[in-house]
Amino acid sequence: MDYDPFSDAAMRDPHAQYLELRKKSGPYFIEKYNAWALVHFDDIWKVSVEHEADMTFTAGQPLTNVLLNEPVPHAFPSMDLSEHRKWRRIVHADYTKSNVESDRPRIEALARELLAPLVERGRFDFYTDYVNRLFAINAGHNLGLGRDESIEWRRLIDETMHRETGQVGTSSPRNHAAAMALFGQLHAYVEGLRRNPERAGGHIRKYLEAEVDGRRLENQDIVSLLVIFLTVGSGTTPNVCAGAVYYLAQHPDQQQAVLGDRSLTPRAFFEAARYDQPTNILCRRAIRDIPVGGETIRAGQNILMVYASGNRDEAEFERAGEFDIFRSCPRDLTYGIGGHKCLGMHLATMAGTIALDEFFRISGRYRVDSANCTRAYGEFLSGFDHVPVELGA
């Protein structure tokens, strides 16, 4: 088949294409982009674990950076392992399991606050009215931002990632207008912090004060970090939560099980992440030849880690194409694997489970308006971005 990650079919819902691609062993070569798509679980796992030193992250990780040569932000996600670790270490302690757990009461209170007026309405959009706001506010809190700033800047980030049918890359007037507004506001914010450093909080205070190998971050570096932390801190876990609510409604027996025993909520979260992985694809570029699946990725060629395909690989998961919260998954690719594995995995798991559990606490046997659900359209993120729900008795 002719697979292109920027095609309309791939950006709407690529799983049918991934199923076809997995019928052939090994990676799939996309000549147009001089790129290999790794669609099998084991190929992604082995290359990530055994060949990290044979790849560079400096070309970026989103497809638009690596395949289309869009500008790469200078921040630790786009650094190779040695430098990556030094800059990641500045906030690493904030994301350990024990430190994340100390934030549980605050996130529970936030979830209840946001849900209270929605319960009164009885019908609302689970994604836009609830979890998207919850995670935007929480991501902003970790950066030392206020609620209004967090929500508005998250909205502008969403606008920069909006794709029209047939659009390739960040190329529309709508994208450019949002980017101009976003970066203008962020630069003004950072310049204000330089003049009044006592106003800085959270991660941004730490990065403003940090020095690594004699280098301090410039304003553009801080702006890049703000965008990255807001994007990853509020852009994938809400999709997982929305997916969990949607798929449970499609499987009434599993929905009833969770509502009757909320200790099953983490299972619903992880199965939704496996079944409908929100981080569809991240990229690398080979700097040395890499043997994989009977093929050889040559130095200079691009690599697509197709996590959404790997998490439905029949060779790794029994009945991989079925949603089943009771399955056992010794391994998965939900948070990636290797030295660039997701920094916020413990926070995402805890906060995602809280968001779901607080909803299940008040929802009753809820209903989903499936006809009006929509999925994110794009090359990077995947999953539901509108899930209208109606609370039960």
Side-chain angles (χ1 to χ4, degrees):
M1 63 178 291
D2 184 19
Y3 167 67
D4 183 335
F6 295 107
S7 69
D8 179 64
M11 297 213 296
R12 286 191 187 282
D13 188 351
H15 283 291
Q17 294 189 328
Y18 294 161
L19 182 62
E20 289 299 312
L21 290 173
R22 289 195 302 272
K23 290 179 179 178
K24 175 186 176 295
S25 63
Y28 175 87
F29 185 62
I30 312 172
E31 185 174 1
K32 181 178 181 180
Y33 303 112
N34 193 25
W36 291 91
L38 275 59
V39 296
H40 297 280
F41 184 100
D42 209 44
D43 288 346
I44 298 169
W45 189 278
K46 286 182 177 178
V47 170
S48 299
V49 171
E50 299 174 9
H51 293 281
E52 185 146 20
D54 300 323
M55 302 179 288
T56 183
F57 293 75
T58 58
Q61 294 198 65
L63 285 85
T64 50
N65 295 150
V66 180
L67 304 189
L68 304 180
N69 296 312
E70 290 189 4
V72 181
H74 186 266
F76 68 84
S78 56
M79 297 175 182
D80 291 336
L81 198 54
S82 176
E83 189 180 12
H84 170 86
R85 284 174 173 162
K86 294 174 183 177
W87 290 103
R88 174 171 165 148
R89 192 176 297 129
I90 292 164
V91 294
H92 175 76
D94 295 332
Y95 291 96
T96 61
K97 201 166 188 177
S98 57
N99 282 346
V100 162
E101 189 62 32
S102 68
D103 235 7
R104 177 181 291 275
R106 180 185 61 80
I107 297 173
E108 288 176 338
L110 175 60
R112 290 171 184 173
E113 175 192 336
L114 294 175
L115 279 170
L118 302 177
V119 172
E120 294 296 317
R121 286 162 47 183
R123 180 183 173 87
F124 57 91
D125 191 307
F126 179 87
Y127 182 88
T128 57
D129 294 334
Y130 175 44
V131 286
N132 191 40
R133 291 175 62 83
L134 187 155
F135 282 92
I137 292 168
N138 189 61
H141 171 84
N142 292 333
L143 294 166
L145 304 178
R147 288 191 179 189
D148 291 343
E149 294 167 322
S150 304
I151 292 171
E152 172 60 10
W153 291 342
R154 175 69 230 189
R155 184 190 71 79
L156 288 172
I157 289 169
D158 288 340
E159 286 289 287
T160 67
M161 294 194 293
H162 175 82
R163 301 290 185 260
E164 300 290 346
T165 302
Q167 179 182 340
V168 177
T170 312
S171 56
S172 73
R174 179 173 176 174
N175 298 153
H176 294 162
M180 290 289 289
L182 175 66
F183 287 105
Q185 292 177 37
L186 291 179
H187 273 285
Y189 175 74
V190 174
E191 287 166 6
L193 295 183
R194 294 291 192 191
R195 293 190 298 270
N196 301 283
E198 71 281 358
R199 289 174 46 204
H203 298 350
I204 297 306
R205 173 184 287 275
K206 292 184 178 182
Y207 276 108
L208 284 169
E209 296 172 349
E211 183 175 312
V212 173
D213 295 335
R215 180 177 181 272
R216 300 177 72 89
L217 295 181
E218 299 177 0
N219 285 10
Q220 180 58 56
D221 301 321
I222 299 295
V223 167
S224 294
L225 283 168
L226 279 163
V227 172
I228 288 168
F229 274 110
L230 280 170
T231 300
V232 300
S234 61
T236 54
T237 312
N239 299 102
V240 175
C241 293
V245 165
Y246 177 88
Y247 293 117
L248 285 173
Q250 306 306 306
H251 297 81
D253 54 334
Q254 295 183 51
Q255 183 195 57
Q256 187 59 42
V258 173
L259 294 176
D261 179 4
R262 298 211 317 270
S263 70
L264 296 174
T265 300
R267 284 183 168 273
F269 176 84
F270 278 112
E271 177 63 355
R274 181 204 69 82
Y275 184 75
D276 204 354
Q277 163 73 294
T279 306
N280 182 24
I281 302 171
L282 289 176
C283 298
R284 319 278 191 260
R285 182 167 291 159
I287 56 175
R288 282 180 284 273
D289 290 357
I290 301 172
V292 55
E295 304 284 357
T296 299
I297 300 173
R298 301 295 180 188
Q301 292 187 315
N302 301 314
I303 305 170
L304 279 61
M305 302 290 189
V306 190
Y307 297 120
S309 175
N311 259 1
R312 282 206 197 178
D313 188 349
E314 301 80 357
E316 181 69 20
F317 305 100
E318 185 179 356
R319 298 175 293 103
E322 297 179 21
F323 180 83
D324 181 4
I325 66 171
F326 297 106
R327 74 170 63 250
S328 175
C329 296
R331 304 190 300 176
D332 65 61
L333 295 166
T334 295
Y335 293 118
I337 189 67
H340 281 64
K341 189 173 184 177
C342 179
L343 170 66
M345 59 181 291
H346 297 306
L347 174 59
T349 298
M350 183 189 74
T353 302
I354 288 171
L356 287 172
D357 194 57
E358 291 299 325
F359 172 74
F360 296 147
R361 182 176 61 83
I362 55 87
S363 72
R365 197 171 178 87
Y366 67 88
R367 290 169 290 282
V368 168
D369 181 1
S370 301
N372 288 300
C373 291
T374 62
R375 293 180 63 84
Y377 179 80
E379 73 282 344
F380 174 40
L381 293 180
S382 183
F384 290 97
D385 58 7
H386 287 287
V387 178
V389 296
E390 184 177 345
L391 303 185

